[in-house]
Amino acid sequence: MYSLGIDIGSTTSKGALLADGNRIVATALRNAGIGTDGPEEVVKELLRASDLDEGQIGVTVSTGYGRTLYPEAHYRVSELTCHALGAHFIFPGIRTLIDIGGQDAKVISLDGAGRMSNFQMNDKCAAGTGRFLDVMAGILQLRAGDLAGEAALAESICPISSTCTVFAESEVISHLAQGVNRKDLVAGICESVATRTGSLAKRVGVTPPLAMSGGVALNEGVRGALSRYLGVEILFSPLAQFFGGLGAALYGYQTYNKEN
Amino acid sequence: MTNQEILSVLAEAAGNPKKQLHHHLSQGRKVVALAPVYAPEELIHSQGFVPMGAWGADLELQEAKAFFPAFICSITQSIVELGIRGAYEGIHAMVIPTLCDSLKVLTQNWKHAVPSIPLIVTSYPQNRGIPAAQDYLKSGFVQISEKLEELGGTPFSEEALAKSIDLYNRHRKAMRELSSTLGKHPRISARQRSDIFKSAHFMRKEDHLELVEGLIEGLSDQESGGLPHRKEDGPASRTRVITTGILADHPRLLNILDETGFHLVADDLAHESRQYRTDAPTGGAPLDALVERFCKQQHCSVLFDPGKGRASYLADLATRENARGVIYFMTKFCDPEEFDLVPVKRNCDAAGIPFLSIEVDRQMSNFSQARTALETFKEMIEQRRM
C-alpha cells in the first residue's frame, strides 16, 4: 500500500511517498508553503516521480502549520509527531530530535521505542529559526544556502546576539560598518542559531543519539556549532528536510492498518 | 431550567461582565471590584456590597503602557487599561491584594491611573503559620471593613458576616461538587466549564449558587446530562486532563482544547478551583473564621509554601481524577507561577504523568503555536496507549 505524507510549512512544502510503510518511493520539495500551490505541486511531483496516479494512494496525511489547509488528507497530525516518526524511521534508536524550520524550532525527546516523551517549542520569536538565517543572509547579500560554505572559511567567530532578530540585524550592520570579515560574521550568525536552539534543547534534556531535521539541518555551520554547544555528535541525513513528510506517510500507513 | 438553559445563562454572564455590573447597579446594589487573587469577599458581601471579580480582559493594551514596563503580568496591565477606559465606572471601590510584586505595582498605578475609583489595599502576611500573621491579617480586615463603611456600606456586624460566610461556604461546596460532576461529563466543553467558573466572579453568589445547584442536580439525573453530543465526540475519544495556572479563559484557547479532544476533569487554576478549596470554619467569631480560612489555604503560587506542596498535590489530583496529563497555563511574566513550574514538572515526570506548559497572556492574538502544542500533547498521550 502506498501512503503519502505532505508537510506544509511556513516557507516550503515537502512530501514523501512510502510503499508498505517501509520503502521510500519518492520525495519532493517546493519553496512555497502555506497559502500557495506548493502542496499541490509537491503531490504532483511525487506522483510523477513514482509513476503512480492518485487512485493508487491508499492514505494521505498532512502535517506542518498548514496541515488543516489540505482537504485531501485523510488525517491531520502535528509536525512534532511526524518529525519524531520520520527521524525514528531514518535513525532507529534516536532519543533527541532538534527540528529547526522556517519560523520556529522544536526539540523532541523520544523513548527507546521511538515514542515522543517530551517536547519544547521556541517562544514565538524568529531568533534561532530559518527566518533568522534568511534575514541575515539578505543583509550580507548571500543566499541562505551559501551560509554554511561561508562560515566554513571563517578565521574567527564574530559573536552575534541570539535574543532578537531585529537587534541582531542592527548588530550585523554595525559589525559590517566596522569592517568585520563577512565570513566571521556568518560563523557568528550560525553560532547564534545554535546557541538559541541549544538552550531550548537543554530545557528538554539532551540524550544521545541526537539528530536534526528541518531545512536548517542542511546548514553544516549551524550543525557544527550546535554539536560543539551541546557536546554531542549530531546525526545528519540528506533527507532531514523530509522527516515531517516521511513521518506523516508512516503515520498514515500505521493508522490505516490499525483501523482496517 | 434545563441544563442547557442554565449553561446559557452562565455563558451570558461570563461573556458580559459589564452587563452584569449595570444590572447590579440598576437594582440599586453597590458593587466592589476584586483584583486577583484572593479577597475577603464574605466581609464585603456582609456590608452590603456585591463583590465582582476584576481579572482583566483580553484586549490590546494602549493606555496602561504609560504606567507599566513591558515585562509585567498582562492581567494587572489590562485591569488598569479597563479602568482608564471607564469599564469599571459605577463601582464603589477596587480591592487589590498585595500577593505578588505585580499586584503591589498595580495598587500604586491604580491610584494614579484611575483616581475616580477608590482603592482598598489588602495586605496579607507571608508566613501564615504563626499567630502574629493572624493578628496582622485580622487588623487588616478591620481596616477594610472601616473603609467599606466610609464608602457607604453597612456597619460591620458579626451576624451579617456569619450569614455571608455560610452563603460562601455553601457556594464553595457546590463549586467543588460541580467540578467533580463535570469530570464525569465529557459533553460539557472546556468553554462551558470556564463559563461556569468565570460567571461566579460576576454574579451575586446567591444567584450563582442556585444555578450551580440546579446544574448539579440536572447532570446527576442522566448520564448525558441532557446535553447534545459534541462534534466528533465519542466520550472514549476525549483525553482526560487537568489544568493549572493563574487563568485560562480565552475563548479561542478553550475552543482549541475542545477541538483537540480534551476533557478537563479538574483544575488548579487560581481563577477557578483554587477559589473554592478551603471553607471558613463556622461556630466561632466570624472575622477569626475569615482569617483562619486564608491561613489554611494551600497549594497556590502566590501563597508562601516553602515545601511547594502544589507539586505533589497536582500529581495526586491527576491520579485521583484518572487524568492522562497536566496542562500548565503559564501566565507570561508571572514570577510566582514560574517558580512553581519546575517542581510541578519534576513531580509529574517522576509520577509518569505527561506534562505540557503553554505560555498565555491577556494579549494573545496568534494561537497557532498553542494549537500545535496541544495537538502534539494529545498525540503524545495517545501514543502511550499503543
Side-chain angles (χ1 to χ4, degrees), chain B residues 213-257:
Chain B
E213 285 179 341
L215 192 55
I216 293 168
E217 192 181 338
L219 288 172
S220 62
D221 272 357
Q222 43 193 313
E223 194 184 330
S224 69
L227 298 166
H229 257 301
R230 290 156 74 181
K231 198 177 163 192
E232 299 172 354
D233 187 27
S237 73
R238 295 251 152 209
T239 300
R240 296 171 66 86
V241 289
I242 60 174
T243 53
T244 184
I246 297 294
L247 58 73
D249 65 348
H250 198 296
R252 286 178 67 187
L253 190 63
L254 295 164
N255 287 344
I256 293 171
L257 284 166

Side-chain angles (χ1 to χ4, degrees), chain A residues 65 67 76-81 115-119 121-122 124 258, chain B residues 345 355-356 359 368-369 371-373 375-377 379-380 383-384 386:
Chain A
Y65 268 107
R67 62 190 173 278
R76 294 175 182 85
V77 186
S78 80
E79 58 268 37
L80 286 94
T81 296
R115 290 175 304 199
M116 196 166 29
S117 57
N118 196 2
F119 64 91
M121 301 169 75
N122 73 331
K124 304 170 196 155
K258 206 185 310 160
Chain B
K345 183 180 185 316
F355 177 90
L356 173 69
E359 188 179 82
S368 305
Q369 199 178 51
R371 180 182 287 279
T372 296
E375 286 183 7
T376 304
F377 189 55
E379 289 159 7
M380 190 175 90
Q383 275 184 1
R384 292 191 171 204
M386 294 176 187

Side-chain angles (χ1 to χ4, degrees), chain B residues 310-329:
Chain B
R310 179 182 173 197
S312 55
Y313 170 80
L314 274 169
D316 291 346
L317 181 66
T319 305
R320 192 167 66 241
E321 295 293 341
N322 195 22
R324 308 280 311 281
V326 172
I327 301 174
Y328 199 120
F329 288 107

